[in-house]
Amino acid sequence: MESLVSEGLSCHPQQGEASPCCQLSVKILEARNLFWTDLLSEADPYVVLRLPTASAITFKTKTVSNSSHPIWNETFSFRIQRQVKNILELKVYDADVVTEDDALFTVLFDTIEVNPGKPIRKTFSLNPQGQEELYVEFHAEEISDSPEHLITNNVLVTRELSCLTVQVDKKGSTAAVTEGDELELTLKGSYEDTQSSTLGSAMADSFLFHYITAQETEMRGYLKSLAVDGEGEGSPGKNLTVPLKYLPMGEEMAVAVPAPEATALRLKLRTNSCSEKLAVRLGFGLCDEEHAFLKKRKQVVAKALKRVLQLEHELQEDEVPVIGVMAIGGGARAMTSLYGHLSALKKLDLLDCVTYISGTSGSTWTLASLYQDPDWSQQDLEKPISHAREHMTKSKLDAFSLGSMRGYQQELRQRAEEGRTPSFVDLWALVLEFLLHGKVNEHRLSEQRASLEQGQNPLPLYLGLNVKENNLETLDFKEWVEFSPYEIGFLKYGAFIPSELFGSEFFMGRLMKKLPESRICFLEGLWSNIFSVNLMDAWYDLTSSAETWKQHIRDKTRNIEKEPPGSQKTSWIEMSWLEPRTALTQGLQGLLTGRPLHHQCHNFLRGLHLHQDYCGQRNFRTWGDFQLDSDPSQLTPLQPQLCLVDAAYFINTSCPLLLRTGRSPDLILSFGYSLNSPFEALEQMETYCRGQGIPFPRVELSHEERLQPKECHFFSDPDCPEAPTVLHFPLVNLSFREHSAPGVKRSPEELAGGQVDLTGFLSPYSLANMTYNGDDFDRLLYLSAYNVQNNQGEILRALRTALKHRKQRQP
């Protein structure tokens, strides 16, 4: 089937196209040479089959007792969608009467190898060092009736949903129930999974389940408290099981939940097509709202460039360069410095030349505050800076007073009632709000759209990082998450939702439960979430150097270069042999990689399936986490929750947002706020881009520049016209020591104002410090502003280069 979205770059995917399903038959034949699995006797093996993209039901063969050469010859059937990545999991177990059954081996098989009408037989060698083998036959036939309508960006796939309504027939029921009895209904693979209701006059009249139409599943029901002597819960004789494939669409069916003494609780079932529209946008391009903003913003930028560069002619729309401000993190130091940098750009009449401002961690605090005013960049920044100074220099003890803690507790309780899981990170967000504002701030991210309606301000972009909650350190798995006033989404998967829906519950791209939009402070807590660290991350941070980081990334990049994604045969995940892990090793790994203070929020990718060719798509970035990215079961769409942390866990930069497909910056003003590593984030970004194939200039520095960084560094790559020019401003104190303004020398009485301690052990600008005295705040603010103003000539030269760069990039 042709791609439904050309190049995966469409803002909005086309309407779903029909795609037929296939019936896959899996015949488990036999296994051989299972000699070593049991020390006291021969194995009692059986095989468990799971194909979650096709069936919510787990299948199991019979158990063959005392056999090293078990023969099963059992066939299982799955209805599969071939546009989806279908990975069949076969697990060989050894049954044990006394202890839990031992999982001996796991085989993962990509069903794309099975072509319709062409049966194949596979021999899986279970142990690379041994002789154990599993024999399986596969056969597929295309189903011509009832094709599925799919929507995809060639990485993710949304499938058709159906709604099952279960109505309790109180009149037709004969069961003698009490108010303490409870009806429990389960539909595995559905959004709701399990629902229950206490019987009696107040019991729910109906239940609703959302499930994938083509997926084979079944509804189970039983009366919980009527189970006696172990014959109720879990007993087939007391359970109701209804395979949904036998339930005609739109027709009502009456069934009975068994109860004691030949009585029954009657239910009426009806299944219909799901009417919920797609709420997740699939596409790697920019959304319509951003395109509309860019059209307006280019008019502002064109006028500003004509003024500051004294151009003789008006710039046409396609001649206007894209200029981005990139700010890194660094707590209160980053927040204060960014205020200084932006105020300097404003004084130089350069702020209107900027299209985007991106931030992470502490720099997001500045942006979140500024964008509460729809016209902030058109006004003097004295008022927001004065507000920041007031709260940075005040005592922070009130943030932890009894009254404040009660207020935090009340709000966390309210969030729990709304359907969110409160965490320590939420508490940090509320404390941070008090530290930065001294009161509750009702502003929300979506409200920042008012700042963009006329293109009057640059578009703010905020960066987060999604990681694994447990079992992995951050360098082994991380995914960029973009936050803007318009949308929030994953750059890796090309999936976005309106910003006001973040935190709500989704399933298969549909909005299932809308929650109130969180106040901006809770997002600031996520963007600067330094608490979801695990021991492996902490140890790496303490012991590694910049070269260690770069070597780690280069190693992974080389692996990709040897075998590029998408170049593998269809059997790239044909067989995987996994040894059982002991409880000790599992516990140790959990201790090292668990995140005890991690934040959880609902995953808006939940339920979405991976496209059959997702790994080969150029927008799906696989170089860094290749082993996990090749296994769909390890990826984010299968996780119920997101675990978002500070992006500095990987690279302390917000640059990936500016380099996203469709933005194509010509010039990036890079503001670094590191005290000890002025070029580390920039060099890491270059390494990252090289591994990803993203155009980025070489960060080449002389020995002298490394020892004594300048106020401004110019980086470009004439051999790569697609790469932006980068103007980097590290946090240094050079001529500011002797100059109060560009070209204005300090008097002897003013020299103290130029002494800004950026490197000392007792520097007031350490990451952990959230309280400055007035002089320290002013010195850092003025230093940052001065460094920009003192390099006005370099910025103007870079702007002229950006104009030429934009012309060169035109077709």
Side-chain angles (χ1 to χ4, degrees), residues 50-70:
R50 290 185 69 252
L51 186 50
T53 51
S55 175
I57 303 171
T58 298
F59 297 95
K60 174 182 175 294
T61 67
K62 64 185 176 184
T63 301
V64 180
S65 301
N66 297 320
S67 177
S68 60
H69 180 188

Side-chain angles (χ1 to χ4, degrees), residues 106-344:
T106 298
V107 172
L108 301 176
F109 176 71
D110 188 350
T111 64
I112 196 64
E113 283 216 50
V114 188
N115 293 315
K118 297 180 180 179
I120 64 171
R121 177 168 173 163
K122 301 291 293 185
T123 301
F124 299 108
S125 298
L126 299 179
N127 186 344
Q129 288 80 35
Q131 303 297 318
E132 299 85 355
E133 293 179 328
L134 178 66
Y135 300 87
V136 186
E137 277 186 0
F138 299 92
H139 179 72
E141 290 293 341
E142 191 169 286
I143 304 173
S144 58
D145 64 324
S146 302
E148 273 195 282
H149 285 77
L150 308 177
I151 296 177
T152 179
N153 63 357
N154 297 328
V155 171
L156 294 176
V157 179
T158 68
R159 303 181 66 178
E160 291 183 27
L161 287 186
S162 290
C163 297
L164 171 67
T165 303
V166 182
Q167 187 81 26
V168 179
D169 184 3
K170 295 183 178 179
K171 294 182 179 179
S173 300
T174 60
V177 296
T178 66
E179 292 188 359
D181 296 331
E182 188 175 56
L183 171 65
E184 182 171 290
L185 301 177
T186 299
L187 184 59
K188 290 298 182 184
S190 69
Y191 160 69
E192 292 80 4
D193 190 78
T194 299
Q195 299 185 68
S196 60
S197 176
T198 302
L199 301 180
S201 58
M203 74 172 294
D205 288 333
S206 63
F207 302 82
L208 184 64
F209 293 92
H210 295 80
Y211 66 98
I212 301 172
T213 304
Q215 193 174 50
E216 294 186 348
T217 187
E218 58 189 22
M219 189 198 77
R220 293 173 175 262
Y222 64 90
L223 296 171
K224 291 184 69 174
S225 61
L226 291 179
V228 293
D229 300 328
E231 294 183 356
E233 184 172 352
S235 171
K238 296 296 184 183
N239 286 355
L240 165 69
T241 301
V242 182
L244 296 191
K245 63 181 179 180
Y246 298 122
L247 192 59
M249 186 71 70
E251 296 183 17
E252 188 173 272
M253 174 187 289
V255 298
V257 181
E261 300 176 0
T263 61
L265 184 68
R266 287 173 58 83
L267 306 175
K268 294 179 180 179
L269 311 182
R270 183 190 296 270
T271 183
N272 293 291
S273 296
C274 181
S275 60
E276 281 86 351
K277 296 181 179 179
L278 205 64
V280 175
R281 181 177 71 85
L282 296 184
F284 289 91
L286 307 179
C287 64
D288 290 343
E289 293 83 356
E290 184 168 341
H291 280 294
F293 160 80
L294 288 174
K295 195 172 185 65
K296 297 174 182 177
R297 186 62 182 173
K298 282 183 179 181
Q299 298 175 11
V300 176
V301 174
K303 293 178 181 178
L305 287 173
K306 184 180 180 182
R307 287 196 309 269
V308 298
L309 298 180
Q310 300 180 355
L311 301 177
E312 296 180 356
H313 66 282
E314 301 285 342
L315 291 175
Q316 300 301 309
E317 184 174 319
D318 60 355
E319 295 178 312
V320 179
V322 175
I323 299 162
V325 166
M326 188 278 292
I328 74 169
R333 178 177 67 246
M335 179 191 74
T336 306
S337 299
L338 183 55
Y339 273 120
H341 284 137
L342 294 178
S343 66

